[in-house]
Amino acid sequence: MYIRSVPKELNIDQSAVLEAAQLLGYVSMSMLMLNLRWPRARAKTAIDDLISEGMLWVDGQSEELEYWSPGAMLDGGIE
């Protein structure tokens, strides 16, 4: 028996979202729209894809939904 792992290929938008999330630990829809100058549909598609793969977690405790990088939480850098 063996385990075969196939890495997930990210598109350019998904990579940009993850890169932004690594800086602060999270991103929001408005953050992506403002800083990357993306329309809402583009930001939502990238975020939804990353959520479905477990690469972002949703935090609904703020006024606006925040999408957190699980890796940032494990690094100990986020308080």
Side-chain angles (χ1 to χ4, degrees):
M1 291 182 30
Y2 67 95
I3 296 175
R4 185 166 149 188
S5 172
V6 178
K8 164 89 171 128
E9 283 192 43
L10 301 175
N11 64 35
I12 293 170
D13 288 355
Q14 293 166 340
S15 295
V17 172
L18 287 179
E19 185 177 328
Q22 289 303 312
L23 294 174
L24 294 174
Y26 74 97
V27 294
S28 67
M29 192 78 66
S30 63
M31 184 187 301
L32 295 175
M33 292 170 60
L34 178 66
N35 293 314
L36 299 177
R37 301 187 198 297
W38 286 356
R40 178 173 290 280
R42 184 174 180 181
K44 181 172 178 8
T45 299
I47 287 172
D48 288 347
D49 290 345
L50 292 168
I51 291 169
S52 71
E53 294 293 327
M55 300 175 95
L56 287 179
W57 293 346
V58 181
D59 179 4
Q61 298 180 57
S62 300
E63 288 182 27
E64 180 181 16
L65 291 177
E66 295 175 349
Y67 305 94
W68 286 81
S69 167
M73 292 179 205
L74 297 175
D75 289 344
I78 306 298
E79 295 181 17

